[in-house]
Amino acid sequence: MLERAEAESCCSPANRVLLVLFMVLLVGAILVGNLVTLAVILGTKHFRTPQGYLKASLAVADLAVGAFVVPLSVYAEVYLMVADSAPDWTSSNSQAVPFHPCSVIGPVFAGCTLVSISTIFLMTIERSIAVLRPLHRDSVITRKRTGVLISLSWAASFLLAVAPLLFSSEIALEYNSCSRMCNYALGSLGQLSTQAWNILLLFPAFDFTLLGGTVVINIISLSSIRQHSKRRKHLAKAESQSASKPTFSDIKAARTIGTLTVAFTLSFTPIAVFVVGNVLGNKWCHFSFLAFWVLTSNSCWNVIIYSARDQKFRTRACELFRPFRRSSASESQTPV
């Protein structure tokens, strides 16, 4: 109750309007950006590669966040502004009612976050093989193996997302008035046990293990790229372009994935700090809003990172919008 009072007292009507506007713009950016990414990757033969399929998996996870997670928050905030009271389901948790919206949206958000982390990890592995063992790339990295790994990534991520609800009766899902999102929280019991604490800490432990491994692999790959660049300056032209060296596209892709890793690590760190603090008894109402929405905003950054680093991606994305430009131009030239 104190959290709800703090959350509601902090926002004037003008601030609530700005908050809803931010959420709506974020939904639009996530949907448009990731739909463009999927259209470019799946609609262009050049991008239908193992790396492209991993990017498509990442885009689908981000799309789910924009299509399901954020709209629920928009609905709750708009309802609060119009009716001057929050929806009834926001004052209860998933253990108190037969069906709670957060029973679906909460695992979707957690699962898609875990999918994003595991997909970036797989992209890093794929690029490291291309950079460190270019002769073995085609035999090791195949579309079939990539498809299997993507399927396992989705299955494991969503299994982990529902694990707190399956293995502890003390944990429920609720709409948090501070973060404006569906979060895992204390259920109907009085106090969290040590087992429940360990289950909640499983998320940041798993995420930072993968992110830590991703960072280490990226450092190794980028160090190899740096050494290769130095050797290329001193070797003869024929030797520097031998088949045993990574291609320029492989090097650029490795750097792009390094940028993705840094962006996701920065956006996920506040969530990990909040979860650990919450388990230790800290509420951090305002910080929880910042943490969850910084992570959510990460869902629209990927297409920007691809566009900034890949000229072919930019060119293909522009081609997708040319028919609309021609259509609008022809309509403007039509005589009245």
Side-chain angles (χ1 to χ4, degrees):
M1 296 300 292
L2 290 176
E3 292 178 15
R4 182 174 295 276
E6 182 182 355
E8 292 181 356
S9 64
C10 73
C11 296
S12 64
N15 288 338
R16 290 193 181 279
V17 171
L18 292 176
L19 177 63
V20 172
L21 180 61
F22 162 73
M23 292 179 179
V24 172
L25 291 176
L26 183 60
V27 169
I30 292 173
L31 295 181
V32 172
N34 288 286
L35 285 173
V36 169
T37 300
L38 286 175
V40 170
I41 292 173
L42 301 180
T44 308
K45 186 177 180 180
H46 170 77
F47 290 102
R48 291 199 292 268
T49 61
Q51 180 192 164
Y53 292 148
L54 289 169
K55 289 181 178 180
S57 175
L58 187 60
V60 171
D62 290 335
L63 269 177
V65 173
F68 300 106
V69 178
V70 183
L72 182 67
S73 300
V74 173
Y75 169 77
E77 291 301 312
V78 172
Y79 189 101
L80 178 60
M81 287 195 303
V82 174
D84 201 26
S85 63
D88 294 337
W89 53 267
T90 62
S91 59
S92 60
N93 60 44
S94 58
Q95 292 181 348
V97 294
F99 175 76
H100 197 285
C102 288
S103 298
V104 176
I105 301 302
V108 167
F109 184 48
C112 288
T113 301
L114 295 171
V115 167
S116 298
I117 294 174
S118 57
T119 301
I120 292 175
F121 177 75
L122 292 175
M123 292 169 67
T124 304
I125 294 293
E126 186 265 345
R127 283 298 89 187
S128 67
I129 294 174
V131 170
L132 301 176
R133 295 289 185 271
L135 291 178
H136 300 86
R137 178 184 59 182
D138 294 334
S139 60
V140 174
I141 306 170
T142 64
R143 294 182 182 181
K144 183 177 180 179
R145 289 176 181 173
T146 302
V148 171
L149 290 174
I150 290 173
S151 301
L152 291 175
S153 168
W154 279 81
S157 296
F158 276 85
L159 179 61
L160 186 59
V162 299
L165 306 177
L166 296 177
F167 298 109
S168 177
S169 60
E170 303 172 70
I171 299 174
L173 283 159
E174 67 175 11
Y175 184 82
N176 189 284
S177 57
C178 291
S179 66
R180 269 82 169 182
M181 280 193 174
C182 294
N183 299 153
Y184 295 92
L186 177 66
S188 58
L189 301 180
Q191 187 177 2
L192 282 174
S193 66
T194 303
Q195 180 186 4
W197 283 16
N198 293 335
I199 291 175
L200 288 177
L201 290 174
L202 184 64
F203 287 113
F206 175 82
D207 294 338
F208 270 111
T209 298
L210 278 186
L211 284 174
T214 302
V215 170
V216 170
I217 295 171
N218 270 305
I219 291 174
I220 295 173
S221 298
L222 294 176
S223 298
S224 176
I225 290 172
R226 185 178 180 182
Q227 293 175 2
H228 169 66
S229 300
K230 290 182 178 179
R231 288 197 303 267
R232 187 170 56 184
K233 294 179 181 179
H234 297 90
L235 294 176
K237 183 177 180 180
E239 293 179 353
S240 64
Q241 294 181 349
S242 65
S244 62
K245 304 298 181 182
T247 64
F248 179 73
S249 61
D250 290 333
I251 294 173
K252 182 183 290 186
R255 289 172 176 167
T256 300
I257 295 169
T259 305
L260 281 175
T261 303
V262 171
F264 200 93
T265 302
L266 292 176
S267 64
F268 180 78
T269 299
I271 283 285
V273 173
F274 169 74
V275 171
V276 174
N278 199 27
V279 168
L280 296 177
N282 299 307
K283 299 305 180 183
W284 292 343
C285 184
H286 299 301
F287 179 72
S288 69
F289 176 83
L290 175 66
F292 278 94
W293 287 96
V294 165
L295 179 62
T296 306
S297 301
N298 185 72
S299 296
C300 64
W301 294 354
N302 297 335
V303 66
I304 299 174
I305 295 172
Y306 300 153
S307 301
R309 286 196 164 271
D310 193 336
Q311 184 177 359
K312 293 181 179 179
F313 184 94
R314 292 198 303 272
T315 302
R316 180 55 180 157
C318 292
E319 290 175 354
L320 292 175
F321 289 98
R322 283 179 185 173
F324 298 100
R325 293 178 181 177
R326 292 173 182 174
S327 176
S328 60
S330 61
E331 289 178 0
S332 63
Q333 295 176 1
T334 302
V336 180

